[in-house]
Amino acid sequence: MINIDGSAGEGGGQILRTSLGLSLITGKPFRIEKIRAGRKSPGLLRQHLTAVNAAAKIGNAEVTGASIGSQALTFKPGNINPGEYKFSIGTAGSTTLVLQTVLPPLMLASSPSSISFEGGTHNPFAPPFDFLSKAFLPLVAKIGPQVTVELIRSGFYPAGGGEIRVRIEPAKSLNRVELVSRGKIKRAEGYALVAKLPDKIAERELAIIKNRLGWESSALHIRRDDTALSPGNVVSIEIEHENVVEVFTGFGEKGIRAEAVAEQAVKEAEAYLNSDAIVGEHLADQLLLPMALAGGGSYITLPLSLHSTTNIGTIKKFMDIDIEVSQIRDKLFKISLNS
Ligand code: AMP
């Protein structure tokens, strides 16, 4: 039984999600204590409980301690069952983070899976739908598994009710991918998504991108989605190079000015554009697991977040993999994984 300390490093839900996925893949049972001890409301929230139940369902696992608020659980994995599933969070909790839990085991399964996830689709502190579809999954496709994702309905805090549908085509063997050059720039665009909110908000956000990044109006777009159950607003800056697409996001919130929402995304995009990093902060922590499963890979990135260093620690609890972090120069690092 592997013992996991949920308060280690970043102390959030990723320790639990990585453990669930790797337990199913390696067949190693684990016990986690102090779940999300680093958060204001520790223990399992609906999103984490849905992730635990989804992992248990696809992997015929035996679980104790799977209830709201629980700060400890034991997970004994069984055989992975690819197929058709539907997982509803029941709140605005992040659908993409529940997907992050079941994707690694299902992308190595013996046959494809089709899954519908209901909940939030654009949540602060989680990968928004566009980051998932345009930045993360194309890199997973280079590693091998072909994963397509469709946004059926956007879901925002507090109502949730969004839906994404995912089709996972597993790969028989995974490729080592080296992300060491961006390649030529192909596209740079900004999007302001407004759901049940006036276009004026989106116009003010796009004006910030125009002024701060000096982009033409033709690269800036308003998106409307009035099918969402509650109002929502997200600013996405997409930067596509030959070898990688990055998506930087600002999340609208009641009481936060549109200009400040756009600034969040602009600041991240600027840091990336002014660096020689190939992948930004969020891709850096999310690529670790698929690359570890591929038996290796590498990428050049910005200084590692606590999410990345914590995820390295969790992966090493389950897998015998060498993960080397070396500094290239000021604010530029290379991560190399080798089994
Ligand atoms: P945790 O806080 O432990 O639940 O993990 C949150 C996950 O969401 C990490 O993998 C983060 O990299 C990811 N994440 C948070 N914000 C963003 C964002 N703006 N874009 C993409 N991924 C994000």
Side-chain angles (χ1 to χ4, degrees):
M1 177 78 68
I2 295 176
N3 284 306
I4 302 288
D5 175 0
S7 70
E10 210 271 329
Q14 187 181 57
I15 302 173
L16 172 67
R17 292 190 300 274
T18 297
S19 299
L20 290 167
L22 283 180
S23 172
L24 290 174
I25 291 166
T26 60
K28 296 175 186 170
F30 73 97
R31 172 157 181 86
I32 180 168
E33 296 189 353
K34 300 189 197 148
I35 296 173
R36 298 183 61 258
R39 295 290 187 261
K40 261 192 279 174
S41 49
L44 299 179
L45 302 183
R46 277 225 74 84
Q47 175 215 119
H48 313 100
L49 183 60
T50 308
V52 171
N53 289 338
K57 179 108 184 165
I58 65 147
N60 293 302
E62 275 176 44
V63 191
T64 56
S67 55
I68 290 292
S70 168
Q71 296 190 33
L73 69 83
T74 306
F75 188 88
K76 290 190 184 133
N79 292 331
I80 297 171
N81 250 343
E84 285 196 19
Y85 294 99
K86 178 167 182 165
F87 300 119
S88 287
I89 298 172
T91 62
S94 164
T95 51
T96 60
L97 289 179
V98 179
L99 169 64
Q100 202 185 66
T101 311
V102 296
L103 177 62
L106 290 176
M107 73 187 203
L108 295 171
S110 53
S111 57
S113 295
S114 297
I115 315 182
S116 154
F117 297 87
E118 277 182 4
T121 56
H122 298 77
N123 301 61
F125 311 111
F129 175 80
D130 302 284
F131 172 92
L132 179 76
S133 65
K134 294 182 181 156
F136 180 66
L137 292 177
L139 293 178
V140 170
K142 285 191 188 195
I143 294 173
Q146 304 297 311
V147 184
T148 50
V149 59
E150 198 186 344
L151 180 68
I152 306 298
R153 200 169 42 258
S154 301
F156 301 96
Y157 181 81
E163 183 182 1
I164 62 173
R165 284 189 203 151
V166 184
R167 165 110 182 142
I168 304 170
E169 297 276 350
K172 290 214 167 56
S173 63
L174 302 186
N175 308 311
R176 199 189 154 97
V177 169
E178 319 285 345
L179 295 169
V180 290
S181 86
R182 287 181 187 172
K184 288 203 190 84
I185 183 127
K186 290 174 70 183
R187 185 175 66 88
E189 284 176 299
Y191 297 89
L193 168 66
V194 274
K196 299 195 158 147
L197 289 171
D199 277 0
K200 188 76 200 151
I201 290 176
E203 286 163 15
R204 283 164 54 199
E205 291 170 338
L206 297 179
I208 293 286
I209 301 180
K210 190 176 161 78
N211 291 342
R212 297 270 277 113
L213 297 178
W215 292 0
E216 300 291 330
S217 301
S218 58
L220 303 172
H221 316 278
I222 296 179
R223 273 188 194 146
R224 289 212 64 86
D225 176 0
D226 290 322
T227 60
L229 298 188
S230 58
N233 168 231
V234 170
V235 172
S236 311
I237 296 180
E238 301 184 5
I239 300 172
E240 178 172 356
H241 287 84
E242 275 169 331
N243 301 330
V244 68
V245 180
E246 259 297 5
V247 177
F248 302 101
T249 314
F251 297 90
E253 245 178 86
K254 232 180 167 175
I256 298 193
R257 291 174 53 75
E259 286 74 14
V261 174
E263 274 292 340
Q264 291 171 31
V266 165
K267 272 205 193 115
E268 279 192 45
E270 262 185 336
Y272 177 74
L273 287 170
N274 291 336
S275 79
D276 286 325
I278 317 304
V279 304
E281 172 188 333
H282 300 298
L283 276 178
D285 79 63
Q286 294 170 47
L287 282 174
L288 287 163
L289 186 45
M291 283 194 174
L293 294 174
S298 66
Y299 51 92
I300 292 174
T301 188
L302 302 166
L304 290 202
S305 66
L306 204 47
H307 271 108
S308 281
T309 50
T310 308
N311 211 15
I312 291 174
T314 312
I315 291 168
K316 281 171 151 272
K317 285 269 190 180
F318 287 87
M319 294 179 73
D320 188 13
I321 181 121
D322 185 43
I323 305 178
E324 192 193 334
V325 180
S326 51
Q327 183 155 14
I328 300 175
R329 58 171 187 270
D330 189 35
K331 296 193 182 152
L332 199 66
F333 291 78
K334 180 167 183 182
I335 316 302
S336 303
L337 297 90
N338 290 291
S339 60

